[in-house]
Amino acid sequence: MDPGMDPAAGVSSGAPGASSAAPAVRASDRERDAATHRLQDAFAEGRLDDAEFDVRMRSALSARTRADLDGLLADLPAAGPAAGQATVADSGAGRGPGRLNIAFKSSVRRSGRWRVPDRHTSIVYKGSGWLDLRAAELTAPVTTLLAVAYKSRITILVPPGVRVEAGGFGTDTDTDPAAVVPADAPVLHVRGFTYKGTVDVRSRPPED
């Protein structure tokens, strides 16, 4: 008998393609979104530094398979019971009021007189975001805005007299280059992360 034959099946076990690994399962949009939440929590807890957070966020937004996402989260603590269920109700525990806005195929809009916490996150999936800070009350000397735009545009309007520092990737800044900002001015730190989208930081509305 041919040594490459399986006696029970009568089929050559050495034939090309006879034993191949199962194909990788494609990641869904919801799974990618859940991964960005895990990474955001890890960054807020100090488990990831700035560079690690930037790299992993970009990889999570463009991940193709579940294995890709699992690799990004392998060294982080297991998610809580509500992880992956991205709803506005998730913003309750540990975040404080007004710290998180999420829109799925809809819009996030904040304008007028509103209190901005020291850290605020907006995540928009196939929708739009509009954060107007011109009449808002900044509650801390340094305010960090995390904006995640998945196939979306998030526009952030900044008030005069504020020092704007923009980072991340996919962030466009169009503020007044001639504006005089005092040395002790409040700081607005915008961290934008996009996948086929844009985070637009402006001192005037686009139609002006």
Side-chain angles (χ1 to χ4, degrees), residues 1 3 20 26 46 52 67 78 92 96 103 108 118 132 136 146 152 155-156 163 172 178 180 208:
M1 178 179 293
S20 59
R26 294 280 183 147
E52 292 171 323
V108 165
D118 60 340
D132 189 346
L146 175 62
S152 308
T155 300
I156 301 172
R163 188 181 307 280
D172 293 334
V180 177
D208 285 4

Side-chain angles (χ1 to χ4, degrees), residues 166-193:
F169 59 91
T171 304
D172 293 334
T173 305
D174 184 17
T175 54
D176 186 357
V180 177
V181 180
D184 59 349
V187 176
L188 181 64
H189 186 34
V190 179
R191 299 178 62 83
F193 298 92

Side-chain angles (χ1 to χ4, degrees), residues 3 6 41 53 70 96:
D6 184 336
D41 288 341
F53 181 62
D70 290 343

